[in-house]
Amino acid sequence: MRQQKQVAARDTLSKYAKIASGFHFEGEGSLSQSVSSLLGSNEDLDVIAGVLLSCQNGDFSLLRRLSPILRRNDGYTVWTSCIHIVSYAGTWQDVKEFSRSISDIGNSDSEKHFQAVLFGNSNDRRAISDLLSLYFETNYVDTLSQIRAYISYQLESANDILFDGIEDPDDEEQPPSIEDRELYAKLVRDRFDEVTSRLPRSETPLFEGSEYNVLGVADSLRQQIEAGSEPDERLFRTKMIFEAATGADCSRFYDDIGRFNRLAAMATVEEFLDRDDMRHFQPGQRYFFGHPIPL
């Protein structure tokens, strides 16, 4: 019996593993009519899948079901899946409430890393302030690098000074000094003021130094794919925004061992750009599977 439970758990994990790196999963078509049974399951990954399918249908009210799941789990797939769904499908209030749930669990560098992912994926301009706060609170080099990347993705059209930071390049394994962090924060705030001064509304979300625009995201993704360079984290992040907003299945971007499939990626983006209904995506509005997310 114990062995059967272990096999069942592995099968469940395998079925939903793709939620940690996208918004489609194995067998979702056959499950789309049984959301209620997923939400009533004793398996947390089933519930996560049910919440995701509800959000795909434009019902974001069930995002609150994810906080209790996070509290009773410590697995990477569960944490990453929950954080991705909330950050890409939730309002800023949802993101902040989920961040408090993470803080209630702990205040280590690990929790701060996941908070950075949560804030960074939101494209909300208010995330910049929270990311800078985390930048002063953690000394974990990987998390510091991740924070700079998320700030760059919102405020820079390509990896530049906000992405690289101003640390000593000969001492990359050491966290920056307080003085260097202060200098970096000033660069971020100056760039933030420059970008937001050009935006039409105070609540406008950000993408690559401009107003968030689904068509702009698709065009940026197309250009990155066309560039022919080795795919990096910026391309993956743009892919995630594009997939979340449009509902396009981007699972063909990478094969089973993580190799980038440039032709399949380009075909996916071009298929979206050829759609007759793509003009319903309005500038300054975030979407999840084509459904507008309240600002």
Side-chain angles (χ1 to χ4, degrees):
M1 179 65 72
R2 181 180 179 183
Q3 186 176 11
Q4 289 177 335
K5 289 183 177 180
Q6 289 175 336
V7 170
R10 284 197 301 269
D11 289 345
T12 300
L13 183 61
S14 175
K15 180 167 65 175
Y16 298 132
K18 288 184 177 180
I19 302 178
S21 58
F23 299 98
H24 293 273
F25 57 90
E26 180 184 332
E28 68 176 18
S30 62
L31 292 172
S32 61
Q33 303 301 317
S34 56
V35 173
S36 58
S37 63
L38 289 172
L39 294 171
S41 172
N42 292 324
E43 294 286 345
D44 285 335
L45 283 169
D46 282 337
V47 178
I48 291 171
V51 173
L52 174 58
L53 289 173
S54 296
C55 291
Q56 289 179 6
N57 292 326
D59 180 3
F60 305 119
S61 64
L62 296 176
L63 288 170
R64 65 182 184 276
R65 294 282 301 272
L66 298 180
S67 286
I69 293 175
L70 198 76
R71 293 172 187 271
R72 59 178 176 260
N73 285 275
D74 59 5
Y76 174 83
T77 298
V78 168
W79 272 63
T80 304
S81 299
C82 289
I83 286 169
H84 279 171
I85 294 170
V86 173
S87 58
Y88 285 102
T91 64
W92 181 244
Q93 181 180 350
D94 293 324
V95 168
K96 291 293 285 186
E97 289 179 356
F98 205 72
S99 173
R100 285 190 283 272
S101 295
I102 296 175
S103 295
D104 290 344
I105 294 169
N107 197 37
S108 70
D109 282 324
S110 177
E111 281 82 29
K112 287 182 170 61
H113 169 82
F114 281 108
Q115 284 179 313
V117 175
L118 177 69
F119 293 138
N121 286 338
S122 71
N123 286 99
D124 194 291
R125 64 168 63 192
R126 289 164 288 192
I128 299 297
S129 176
D130 287 282
L131 287 168
L132 282 179
S133 294
L134 289 173
Y135 196 68
F136 281 90
E137 293 172 8
T138 184
N139 285 316
Y140 189 50
V141 173
D142 286 348
T143 299
L144 291 166
S145 176
Q146 190 72 63
I147 291 169
R148 291 196 303 271
Y150 280 120
I151 289 173
S152 172
Y153 300 155
Q154 288 209 38
L155 298 178
E156 295 179 321
S157 59
N159 296 348
D160 203 346
I161 183 64
L162 301 186
F163 182 90
D164 295 332
I166 55 176
E167 289 86 338
D168 182 351
D170 296 325
D171 199 15
E172 294 180 350
E173 297 304 315
Q174 295 298 318
S177 66
I178 293 298
E179 291 78 10
D180 282 347
R181 296 188 209 212
E182 290 286 1
L183 288 172
Y184 178 77
K186 184 178 186 307
L187 288 174
V188 172
R189 294 186 183 108
D190 289 347
R191 176 62 177 162
F192 177 84
D193 290 342
E194 176 192 344
V195 169
T196 55
S197 68
R198 296 186 264 104
L199 300 181
R201 296 174 297 168
S202 61
E203 69 272 19
T204 299
L206 304 174
F207 174 73
E208 293 191 341
S210 299
E211 178 183 46
Y212 175 98
N213 182 344
V214 173
L215 299 184
V217 172
D219 188 58
S220 175
L221 183 56
R222 178 185 57 78
Q223 291 182 43
Q224 291 179 60
I225 296 169
E226 283 182 339
S229 55
E230 191 69 20
D232 58 8
E233 184 66 25
R234 181 178 286 269
L235 188 149
F236 177 78
R237 157 85 165 124
T238 310
K239 186 275 294 186
M240 290 289 287
I241 300 173
F242 170 76
E243 183 172 358
T246 66
D249 187 349
C250 296
S251 58
R252 295 187 300 149
F253 273 49
Y254 302 90
D255 65 17
D256 291 339
I257 59 174
R259 292 177 302 191
F260 184 57
N261 187 332
R262 197 174 304 277
L263 290 177
M266 182 60 74
T268 301
V269 177
E270 288 181 342
E271 182 179 349
F272 166 75
L273 293 173
D274 287 340
R275 279 170 42 175
D276 294 332
D277 64 339
M278 71 173 186
R279 295 296 171 185
H280 93 274
F281 292 102
Q282 296 299 308
Q285 173 65 59
R286 292 173 61 237
Y287 295 85
F288 192 78
F289 279 65
H291 302 285
I293 300 170
L295 293 173

